[in-house]
Amino acid sequence: MARSKNAEAAAGMYRAQIEHHGYGAADAWKPIASLLLACGAWRSKAEGWIVSNDAVYFKEANEFRAGSAAMRRGGQLGDFLSAELGFDRDELCSHIGLYWADERFRFAQPHNLVGHAFRSMLVEALTLFGDADISYEEEVDPKLEFRGHAFSTRSPNSRIDIVARRGPATVALISSRWRFRHDRVDVVEEAMAYMTAAMRVNPHCQQYAWVGEFMPARLEKVLAHTAPNHPNPPLAACVHFEPRLITEGLQEREMKGQLKSLAWLIDQTSGWK
């Protein structure tokens, strides 16, 4: 399926950031942070994005009240992010949320936009820095990818977010979620639904969750289905665009399982077969 206009724009903005800053694979997460994280939230189609403080919003906007724990911890995240991106702390908020500052998207409801943007930025990162022999397709119909199989997914019209191929062989499937509710972990449901069909087509095929979630309790719902937490895991890994944003930025508790990084996933592409 061809990319939507907003996803294509997000991919182009990602590439422009990479080229402008001269980032390599180790820094491939930084344009995602610059483009999609923001100090503030979308209010309405009339107001658009309101950026009025120096806290990076890492979860639901209604928790960011003056003096709240979320506001304090969002400030800590901003401290870490400014150091990593190389901006003065008091200037950080004008250097992130760049995707949302674009006039094409500023007044649009962001929930659907961010999902497509996050997915397409991953494809750009893997294309730029991963194995050059791997090709990618987005929003693939599983009934066409794995003919003759039935899939028990939440939606009858579900799509595989990213399919990676080496030549004609399907070598990896990636389910992408920017954020998710703790009681609706679709990336795990999709992995279980597609696993049997994928392994019949290629017993070496790997499945991954690609996430931007920051809350450990939610992330552990995915990590429970990766090694070593699961004896026969449907997911090869849960990949966060930069786990250090959680462990060092928010200084969150240790999770039951290991989040992998974008740099790690890029390195994995050479072993897909």
Side-chain angles (χ1 to χ4, degrees):
M1 180 180 291
R3 281 175 174 165
S4 63
K5 289 183 178 179
N6 72 281
E8 192 63 50
M13 295 167 83
Y14 179 90
R15 280 183 175 265
Q17 286 271 311
I18 290 289
E19 294 169 2
H20 176 73
H21 294 284
Y23 290 143
D27 295 319
W29 67 273
K30 291 183 178 179
I32 299 174
S34 296
L35 291 163
L36 298 183
L37 293 179
C39 297
W42 185 85
R43 298 300 185 190
S44 68
K45 291 182 179 180
E47 295 177 285
W49 282 78
I50 305 298
V51 178
S52 58
N53 59 70
D54 62 355
V56 178
Y57 280 40
F58 61 93
K59 58 179 179 177
E60 287 80 359
N62 61 359
E63 297 194 37
F64 287 83
R65 299 178 299 275
S68 66
M71 193 71 77
R72 174 181 55 79
R73 299 179 71 221
Q76 292 176 345
L77 181 57
D79 294 343
F80 177 81
L81 195 56
S82 63
E84 289 292 315
L85 297 180
F87 299 123
D88 290 339
R89 182 64 181 86
D90 59 359
E91 297 179 354
L92 174 69
C93 293
S94 63
H95 290 284
I96 65 174
L98 301 180
Y99 181 73
W100 309 116
D102 190 292
E103 290 300 320
R104 291 172 291 180
F105 313 119
R106 182 180 173 187
F107 296 99
Q109 211 284 346
H111 291 327
N112 289 332
L113 293 180
V114 71
H116 292 299
F118 186 56
R119 180 198 67 234
S120 294
M121 287 181 193
L122 174 59
V123 170
E124 291 304 305
L126 297 178
T127 301
L128 286 168
F129 301 115
D131 191 320
D133 291 333
I134 303 292
S135 62
Y136 301 92
E137 185 177 354
E138 300 175 49
E139 295 195 277
V140 176
D141 187 338
K143 295 184 288 295
L144 297 179
E145 183 71 16
F146 304 116
R147 294 181 183 274
H149 290 269
F151 301 100
S152 56
T153 52
R154 190 181 300 270
S155 168
N157 299 314
S158 63
R159 294 290 185 270
I160 304 171
D161 290 315
I162 301 170
V163 173
R165 299 187 179 91
R166 187 181 294 278
T170 298
V171 295
L173 307 179
I174 303 173
S175 290
S176 175
R177 295 293 184 280
W178 173 242
R179 304 281 165 80
F180 54 84
R181 298 205 315 255
H182 71 280
D183 61 342
R184 190 172 178 178
V185 192
D186 290 352
V187 291
V188 173
E189 295 176 3
E190 290 175 357
M192 291 180 171
Y194 302 140
M195 181 170 58
T196 300
M199 295 298 285
R200 284 183 178 177
V201 170
N202 177 5
H204 302 292
C205 185
Q206 301 290 314
Q207 294 193 82
Y208 302 90
W210 164 244
V211 300
E213 178 61 60
F214 280 82
M215 306 310 296
R218 298 180 183 182
L219 290 166
E220 285 172 343
K221 296 283 187 177
V222 183
L223 291 169
H225 296 273
T226 66
N229 292 329
H230 195 289
N232 186 26
L235 288 166
C238 179
V239 182
H240 192 279
F241 70 100
E242 181 45 77
R244 292 185 303 128
L245 291 168
I246 302 170
T247 57
E248 298 179 35
L250 292 177
Q251 299 177 20
E252 270 288 0
R253 63 175 174 81
E254 183 177 349
M255 283 176 275
K256 298 175 182 178
Q258 185 181 7
L259 283 178
K260 300 296 187 180
S261 67
L262 174 53
W264 177 88
L265 184 61
I266 289 168
D267 185 63
Q268 293 298 297
T269 62
S270 63
W272 292 347
K273 59 184 180 178

